[in-house]
Amino acid sequence: MMQSTSCSACGAWPRSFAASLSRRQSRSLGASIALSSHSVDCQTYRVACCSYISRRRGYGGVLNLRSASRVAATDEDGSSFSSFDDVFEGHDDGTLAGSLCLISSSEGEESDTEIIINTSGDVDYHRNNASDVSGSYLETSRLANLRIRTKHKGTYLGILNNLGLIIFLVGILFLFDLCAWRIVRLPLAPFFLTGPFLVAAFLASFAGFFCVPLFHVLKIHQVLRVEGPDIHLYKKGTATMGGLFFIPVGIVVAGAASDFSSVEVFGAAAATIAFAAIGLLDDSLILMKKHNYGLPAPIKIILEVAAGTSFSFWLNSTDVASPYSMKFLLPLPAPLGLLCIGRLYLLLATFCFVSMANGVNLTDGLDGLAGGVAALTFVGMSIAVLPICPDLSIFGASMSGACIGFLMHNRYEASIFMGDTGSLALGGALAAMASCTGMFFPLVISSVVFIAEVLSVLIQLGFYRLTKRFYGAGRKLFRMAPVHHHFELSGFKEPSIVATAYVVSGIFSLLAGYVGLISA
């Protein structure tokens, strides 16, 4: 915990301020203050707090403290703020965002602020005697004129996660493009998969630089779950509904690469848009109600079942590309071969849509987790379905690239979340690729992270109800479900959890692609 140093000017102790911070927040603020062994005055705490709030709120890491310093120096004896408790009164929920209005020159907690610290010549620092000059005065002056950097170790880890993911995916797609004619015996164009991937990644990333500030202006901000981890409180106010800008990019690039003439890409795009619409409705209700409960769960499931069933009926009435003369076949590895399941195929497709949509939705709980895992899963499915439907491979590569472009803004610490608009759409797109080609088995393999997240929720719920029935009080198997929150509360850092998920998903996605190739 941060050292609670008394003010050398007024003797006040910042009790509520130190107590309101979590361990993670205390470390972050402690690094900003750079506390020394001697006492510091209230001005030092205010300067450091301004910087801390600006980082949490995404203003670039520093604030214009000119007006704040004038407030701090209004009364020579420090009576403007008798203690730091007065500054943070009413904000004991662990967040500091509410105090921004007290120290910013603009009104409203979402207002833009200059990002320069420059109080030289504008502030008369309070000091009791000459000995304070070498103590609190010098400490305050140094902090007030220091441009505090916002790049934390975790942020660098998020960047490294993104770089590693991009290098891995581009390398896999490029190597596959080079050897595709030997593997699938098809005359494919140069950069058949790498091209759409890179174009979608660039366009989605570029669109984010316009949409993220726009969403902040429109106040499309994330509403946190009440029962969520306390260490996520700093994410309050982050923009959401990012699926609105990167999902259309993936669809348009896929359509353009297939000359807008592919029936399979049209069907997959329609399913993606339908699930995105369900997510958009859910996100819109959350914003209007100001809490994290949008569509009631039964209604949400009904809408997902309706969308999946509609796609199944469309699939039944449409001739999709296939090297086989029959519909409703499941390509499986030898010795199983092709398995015909008849009308059960339509039920399986509907179940796949509902389960994949909710799987991606549950995984979307850490910065960069759902987007990166989805990008890897799309690449695995693109390889798996290539012998059956090359156009759907383009669709998968484009959606993967769109996810990578989104990760430029969603990596730790995220400036925007995809929301249900993005997560449900990604699940629907993956299910559409499997339903059009019968590649459900490769989808199961490549979606191992999504499946683990869903199973952790089901196991937690079942274990709680079972123990409550036998012992009278429910017990938890995990600290919190989905399982990524369990690891987070166990002490693992967010970027480390995401990196591990990337490694696991990458391995199983390659395996899924291989299984798809030998099954077709």
Side-chain angles (χ1 to χ4, degrees):
M1 221 31 179
M2 183 188 66
Q3 179 184 355
S4 294
T5 308
S6 62
C7 175
S8 59
C10 60
W13 289 79
R15 296 181 304 276
S16 63
F17 175 55
S20 66
L21 299 181
S22 66
R23 182 177 302 175
R24 176 180 179 179
Q25 291 170 328
S26 299
R27 288 198 302 267
S28 179
L29 181 56
S32 299
I33 298 178
L35 287 174
S36 60
S37 58
H38 57 74
S39 297
V40 293
D41 60 12
C42 285
Q43 174 64 21
T44 303
Y45 283 99
R46 292 189 190 102
V47 170
C49 181
C50 288
S51 172
Y52 180 82
I53 293 172
S54 67
R55 289 204 309 273
R56 297 298 94 190
R57 303 298 298 155
Y59 290 121
V62 286
L63 288 171
N64 185 348
L65 301 182
R66 192 183 305 271
S67 58
S69 299
R70 289 199 187 100
V71 173
T74 299
D75 194 348
E76 188 174 344
D77 62 0
S79 58
S80 297
F81 294 104
S82 60
S83 73
F84 222 56
D85 296 347
D86 298 332
V87 182
F88 290 93
E89 183 178 1
H91 303 286
D92 291 334
D93 57 350
T95 62
L96 304 179
S99 304
L100 186 57
C101 58
L102 297 176
I103 57 179
S104 174
S105 58
S106 304
E107 293 183 0
E109 70 176 54
E110 302 299 338
S111 59
D112 293 332
T113 321
E114 290 184 11
I115 56 172
I116 302 292
I117 291 182
N118 183 13
T119 59
S120 300
D122 291 328
V123 180
D124 222 13
Y125 295 104
H126 175 79
R127 51 191 181 275
N128 288 337
N129 48 55
S131 63
D132 288 336
V133 174
S134 61
S136 61
Y137 175 70
L138 294 180
E139 183 76 9
T140 303
S141 300
R142 184 177 66 85
L143 288 171
N145 290 281
L146 176 66
R147 189 176 182 87
I148 302 176
R149 300 184 183 277
T150 62
K151 300 298 184 182
H152 305 290
K153 182 179 179 181
T155 305
Y156 290 123
L157 290 176
I159 296 175
L160 289 177
N161 285 347
N162 267 18
L163 289 177
L165 182 63
I166 293 172
I167 293 172
F168 176 78
L169 291 178
V170 172
I172 291 297
L173 291 176
F174 182 73
L175 290 176
F176 192 79
D177 282 340
L178 290 179
C179 306
W181 65 274
R182 296 180 180 178
I183 299 174
V184 296
R185 304 296 180 182
L186 293 175
L188 302 178
F191 305 106
F192 184 75
L193 298 179
T194 309
F197 174 87
L198 293 177
V199 171
F202 173 78
L203 292 179
S205 178
F206 184 76
F209 289 107
F210 292 94
C211 292
V212 173
L214 176 62
F215 288 2
H216 277 297
V217 171
L218 298 177
K219 297 188 181 300
I220 305 177
H221 293 151
Q222 177 73 15
V223 180
L224 298 180
R225 289 177 11 187
V226 177
E227 65 275 13
D230 291 338
I231 55 179
H232 284 192
L233 289 174
Y234 75 89
K235 297 184 179 183
K236 183 179 180 181
T238 304
T240 187
M241 296 170 65
L244 288 176
F245 75 83
F246 81 91
I247 294 296
V249 168
I251 293 175
V252 171
V253 171
S258 59
D259 297 327
F260 296 101
S261 60
S262 173
V263 176
E264 296 79 16
V265 172
F266 171 79
T272 304
I273 294 173
F275 277 85
I278 298 174
L280 179 61
L281 177 60
D282 190 32
D283 287 337
S284 301
L285 291 177
I286 289 174
L287 290 176
M288 288 188 292
K289 296 179 180 179
K290 300 298 182 183
H291 61 70
N292 197 255
Y293 300 97
L295 284 173
I299 296 180
K300 193 174 183 179
I301 294 296
I302 290 174
L303 291 176
E304 292 171 356
V305 170
T309 303
S310 299
F311 184 88
S312 297
F313 280 116
W314 172 84
L315 192 63
N316 185 40
S317 59
T318 305
D319 292 328
V320 296
S322 174
Y324 317 113
S325 58
M326 296 176 60
K327 282 186 175 182
F328 311 138
L329 295 176
L330 298 183
L332 298 173
L336 297 176
L338 296 176
L339 180 63
C340 181
I341 60 175
R343 299 295 177 179
L344 291 177
Y345 189 98
L346 303 179
L347 295 178
L348 179 60
T350 302
F351 173 77
C352 182
F353 273 101
V354 177
S355 58
M356 285 304 303
N358 288 281
V360 179
N361 191 20
L362 289 174
T363 307
D364 186 26
L366 300 179
D367 295 346
L369 180 59
V373 173
L376 290 163
T377 306
F378 273 115
V379 167
M381 288 298 296
S382 295
I383 297 174
V385 305
L386 183 59
I388 297 178
C389 184
D391 288 336
L392 278 180
S393 291
I394 295 177
F395 176 80
S398 301
M399 293 301 296
S400 178
C403 291
I404 292 297
F406 173 70
L407 284 179
M408 296 296 103
H409 310 279
N410 183 243
R411 60 166 176 76
Y412 185 86
E413 296 174 353
S415 58
I416 190 169
F417 302 137
M418 68 172 65
D420 285 10
T421 307
S423 59
L424 296 185
L426 293 178
L430 288 169
M433 292 181 66
S435 299
C436 287
T437 58
M439 288 292 179
F440 293 105
F441 186 51
L443 179 62
V444 171
I445 297 175
S446 60
S447 303
V448 63
V449 174
F450 299 138
I451 295 174
E453 298 280 6
V454 174
L455 288 180
S456 67
V457 174
L458 297 178
I459 292 173
Q460 179 88 321
L461 183 61
F463 186 79
Y464 181 85
R465 291 181 175 177
L466 188 64
T467 53
K468 186 176 182 179
R469 182 174 183 179
F470 284 97
Y471 299 103
R475 301 177 182 177
K476 295 181 179 180
L477 188 62
F478 303 105
R479 292 176 183 266
M480 183 177 288
V483 70
H484 58 257
H485 288 320
H486 170 78
F487 293 127
E488 195 175 15
L489 295 177
S490 297
F492 295 94
K493 296 193 178 297
E494 193 168 335
S496 301
I497 301 172
V498 173
T500 304
Y502 286 176
V503 172
V504 173
S505 183
I507 294 173
F508 279 92
S509 294
L510 291 179
L511 178 61
Y514 173 76
V515 170
L517 292 176
I518 64 175
S519 301

